[in-house]
């Protein structure tokens, strides 16, 4: 299955379709009870995109359930762009570069990088000694300010559509 990455990153629905196809290749499965036949997609106006309900255990779930994206307010397509740009935590990238590339604040970009790197270590993609961007200490997370901005000589990350 060949997938055009620009289509996958364009909006929330396209990103959810891609991840659902990867996580649930044989159909939707409830992560709470394992039910695969009595689930449905919720389509209410106040319901978050991609939210499903299991009628076996009566719990809500989505592809975000049980992942590092679960409690995040950042749209899913921006998370996928960040994962792509960081090489799933293996490529070093500075928060100001990521914030410009995916159109989020500096603080959000720094926290996303820290979360991606932590998950990469937990999954075994890289070791904690690797030289990718280091996670932020807990005391710096609430008071993060940009310490450096790009200068004219630094390379910039360019994307096809950074305002998606």
């Amino acid at each position: 299955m060949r997938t055009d990455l620009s289509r996958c990153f364009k909006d929330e629905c396209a990103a959810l379709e891609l991840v659902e196809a990867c996580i649930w290749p044989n159909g939707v499965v409830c992560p709470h009870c394992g039910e695969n036949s009595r689930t449905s997609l919720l389509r209410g106006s106040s319901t978050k995109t991609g939210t499903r309900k299991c009628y076996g255990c009566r719990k809500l779930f989505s592809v975000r359930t049980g992942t590092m994206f679960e409690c995040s307010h950042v749209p899913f397509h921006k998370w996928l762009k960040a994962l792509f740009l960081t090489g799933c935590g293996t490529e070093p990238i500075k928060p100001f570069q990521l914030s410009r590339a995916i159109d989020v604040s500096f603080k959000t970009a720094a926290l996303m990088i820290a979360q991606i790197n932590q998950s990469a270590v937990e999954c075994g993609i890289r070791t904690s000694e690797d030289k990718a961007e280091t996670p932020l200490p807990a005391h710096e997370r609430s008071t993060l300010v940009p310490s450096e901005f790009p200068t004219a000589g630094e390379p910039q990350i360019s994307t096809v559509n950074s305002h998606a």
Side-chain angles (χ1 to χ4, degrees), residues 35-116:
E35 178 72 44
N36 60 356
S37 60
R38 299 186 314 156
T39 63
S40 70
L41 182 64
L42 301 179
R43 292 186 168 92
S45 61
S46 63
T47 307
K48 203 171 189 179
T49 306
T51 301
R52 298 177 179 272
K53 182 172 184 174
C54 173
Y55 291 99
C57 65
R58 303 256 184 225
K59 292 184 180 178
L60 300 178
F61 67 96
S62 71
V63 292
R64 291 177 175 241
T65 303
T67 66
M68 68 179 176
F69 317 114
E70 187 168 18
C71 294
S72 176
H73 295 285
V74 177
F76 207 57
H77 68 282
K78 290 186 179 188
W79 269 108
L80 292 183
K81 285 181 187 177
L83 284 169
F84 178 76
L85 293 171
T86 61
C88 293
T90 59
E91 298 293 322
I93 185 171
K94 294 185 179 186
F96 70 82
Q97 292 172 317
L98 184 63
S99 72
R100 286 186 176 177
I102 65 173
D103 195 27
V104 296
S105 71
F106 178 87
K107 183 176 178 179
T108 299
L111 294 174
M112 288 173 76
I113 290 170
Q115 184 65 42
I116 290 169

Side-chain angles (χ1 to χ4, degrees), residues 1 3-5 8-9 12-24 63 76 80:
M1 176 174 95
T3 307
D4 183 16
L5 291 176
C8 298
F9 295 153
E12 191 75 2
C13 292
L16 284 170
E17 286 177 17
L18 171 71
V19 175
E20 284 178 358
C22 293
I23 292 179
W24 299 319
V63 292
F76 207 57
L80 292 183

